[in-house]
Amino acid sequence: VSASTDFVLIGANSASVVLPAASTGKKVILKLSGSNVGATIGVATGDNISELPAGGSLMLEESGSAVTLIAANATNWNIV
């Protein structure tokens, strides 16, 4: 995902997406489109998603599922 992007429509089964480097206040919305299932969302090197172990990733399992993340600082993403 490019640093200038704030919405990503994931259009492939078993896709792997990496968030841009965290930057305080940056918001990214990711949505699994159509009949696609199983997208893995990872973080840039050195970043974390606060609810997960260091360097962990999330999984969007069902078609139409979505997640919104906001960067709390330069290394941590929060799920909202």
Side-chain angles (χ1 to χ4, degrees):
V1 176
S2 121
S4 63
T5 301
D6 59 2
F7 178 78
V8 178
L9 189 60
I10 303 166
N13 286 320
S14 302
S16 183
V17 175
V18 177
L19 293 169
S23 174
T24 304
K26 172 73 175 163
K27 178 171 119 176
V28 178
I29 301 166
L30 300 112
K31 181 170 177 58
L32 198 52
S33 73
S35 60
N36 298 305
V37 296
T40 302
I41 301 165
V43 294
T45 302
D47 285 358
N48 294 296
I49 296 173
S50 62
E51 291 80 359
L52 301 173
S57 59
L58 332 156
M59 179 79 160
L60 295 180
E61 296 177 344
E62 298 295 325
S63 177
S65 58
V67 64
T68 300
L69 298 113
I70 296 179
N73 53 41
T75 58
N76 294 298
W77 288 97
N78 291 325
I79 299 170
V80 294

